[in-house]
Amino acid sequence: MSRIVKAAAVQCSPVLYSQAGTVQKVCELIAELGQQGVEFAVFPETVVPYYPYFSFVQPPFAMGKEHLKLLSESVIVPSEATDLIGAACRAAQMVVSIGVNERVGGTIYNAQLLFDMDGSIIQHRRKITPTYHERMVWGQGDGSGLCAIDSAVGRIGSLACWEHYNPLARFALMADGEQIHAAMFPGSLVGQVFADQISATIQHHALESGCFVVNATAWLTPEQQQQIMQDTGCEIGPISGGCFTAIVSPEGKFLAAPLTQGEGYVIADLDFSLIDKRKRMMDSVGHYSRPELLSLLIDRRKTQVLHEFSETQSTTQEKISNFTTLTEAPLSKA
């Protein structure tokens, strides 16, 4: 008997400039979806507290005020904010993937958090390369999160926005056996061309990986657009459109009508038998691969800025260094 998971892709607005307000809204949406029997939900990229739209419309020298505002509202992981989301997941018996601005000291990262049904964080990854204007706001992630994770609903892989244009990042998740792919984009950005690109991107990944793609984008209300325009001096065009919240089958089909305007969610049943149906014909990491010709080398170690050696280790290192010096020294003539 095939497994079926009820999934939701959520298109929602943040509570602009408020971590606490946005977290509360997310928790309320989780409870609402839980009442409808949803078992897995994806929320937009960095929806907590909000995507840094200012970085797209302001030059670097002018964005200091807005950058500091985002830093002050960003999420420490773990913290009360993540505890509240975890509690909502536990109460609703739901697995949730959500994007947050994560604060570590004076640095912000674009982070994706995956909560299991018991409320625990089972994956905490960071976008490996912020895109274009985002590099003025976010630090770089590492390869530790380029893997799929077992959850109560299946094996889940996650990427944010233009990470989907990095074929090797996608392949890392495909090779790790993802069954559901959590994709997230900012929304209310760039215009219709962005929505068109998202559609093509998520359909292609579903077909290539033979997995389900649950994709969420955010939405700015007219009032929020006006607030950002007032705060940054931008026009409305760059912070409009670009919304495409959808769920795609392993055969590249939309399982429900995509959502391109307003707040709401797309709900669909993920029938896991479709994974085998697709991969029987084309398994990109199995019978359709040629590992003797093409393969991926990936470093999944966590990066760190501090490396410590104990006194014993230091002594060992000194001995190795001294030995190397002696063995490499030229021989003296008798």
Side-chain angles (χ1 to χ4, degrees), residues 7-43:
V10 182
Q11 185 161 292
C12 65
S13 304
V15 176
L16 196 60
Y17 305 150
S18 173
Q19 178 198 124
T22 305
V23 167
Q24 180 179 347
K25 182 173 183 176
V26 165
C27 291
E28 290 171 354
L29 283 167
I30 291 172
E32 182 178 320
L33 291 167
Q35 292 173 358
Q36 298 182 53
V38 171
E39 301 167 271
F40 175 62
V42 176
F43 285 80

Side-chain angles (χ1 to χ4, degrees), residues 11-17 25 44 47 49-54 186-190 217-229 234-243 260-263:
Q11 185 161 292
C12 65
S13 304
V15 176
L16 196 60
Y17 305 150
K25 182 173 183 176
V47 69
Y50 53 93
Y51 178 82
Y53 293 95
F54 64 85
S188 289
L189 195 72
V190 182
T217 58
W219 165 263
L220 289 177
T221 66
E223 294 76 18
Q224 289 175 332
Q225 289 173 312
Q226 289 299 318
Q227 185 65 57
I228 292 172
M229 291 166 64
C234 75
E235 298 179 355
I236 196 168
I239 55 171
S240 300
C243 297
T260 59
Q261 293 188 46
E263 293 191 275

